[in-house]
Amino acid sequence: MSRVNETFAQYFTPEQVAGLQARRVEGEATAAQWPDLIAAVRAEMDAGTDPSHPRVRALADRWAELLAAFHRGDPELRARLDRMRTENPAEVSAAGAPDQAMIDWIGRVPRG
């Protein structure tokens, strides 16, 4: 079992892991969108773009869509994902996920 899989097993029930694995195939197209989105968000951060800029708001909307595709509105799954990320930031970032600074920055984007 890979280290990432071991980490998942610590935070999600076996049923949740099975559900995530079953959705993995259908989610591969969605997951493939994260690297480009993360790169675009990082570029805006590095450029000092204000989080309220329409371009950033569009990125934040896409971020929310991709995140929702992962947890599918399940608040427990979302909470476990957040806990895993919070407790294992280096490992999660090394797997290609956004770092905490990026998550905090995208969280400052005005909604609505």
Side-chain angles (χ1 to χ4, degrees):
M1 181 182 286
S2 76
R3 186 155 165 79
V4 171
N5 286 340
E6 289 173 9
T7 300
F8 258 73
Q10 292 174 8
Y11 291 89
F12 300 99
T13 66
E15 294 79 17
Q16 289 169 326
V17 171
L20 291 170
Q21 289 172 340
R23 291 195 324 241
R24 185 161 71 187
V25 172
E26 74 182 57
E28 285 179 358
T30 300
Q33 296 175 49
W34 275 108
D36 288 342
L37 178 59
I38 289 169
V41 170
R42 176 66 63 201
E44 296 295 348
M45 287 175 66
D46 291 348
T49 308
D50 188 292
S52 65
H53 190 284
R55 190 172 54 241
V56 177
R57 291 177 76 153
L59 292 171
D61 289 344
R62 187 66 190 134
W63 183 292
E65 290 169 8
L66 292 179
L67 187 57
F70 175 80
H71 64 70
R72 294 185 174 188
D74 181 336
E76 181 184 355
L77 190 61
R78 172 68 189 265
R80 287 173 182 263
L81 175 65
D82 290 343
R83 185 171 149 232
M84 180 183 72
R85 183 188 42 77
T86 299
E87 294 178 2
N88 301 279
E91 184 177 329
V92 171
S93 289
D99 60 29
Q100 189 61 48
M102 185 178 294
I103 292 167
D104 292 344
W105 189 79
I106 207 79
R108 292 196 314 262
V109 175
R111 296 288 182 201

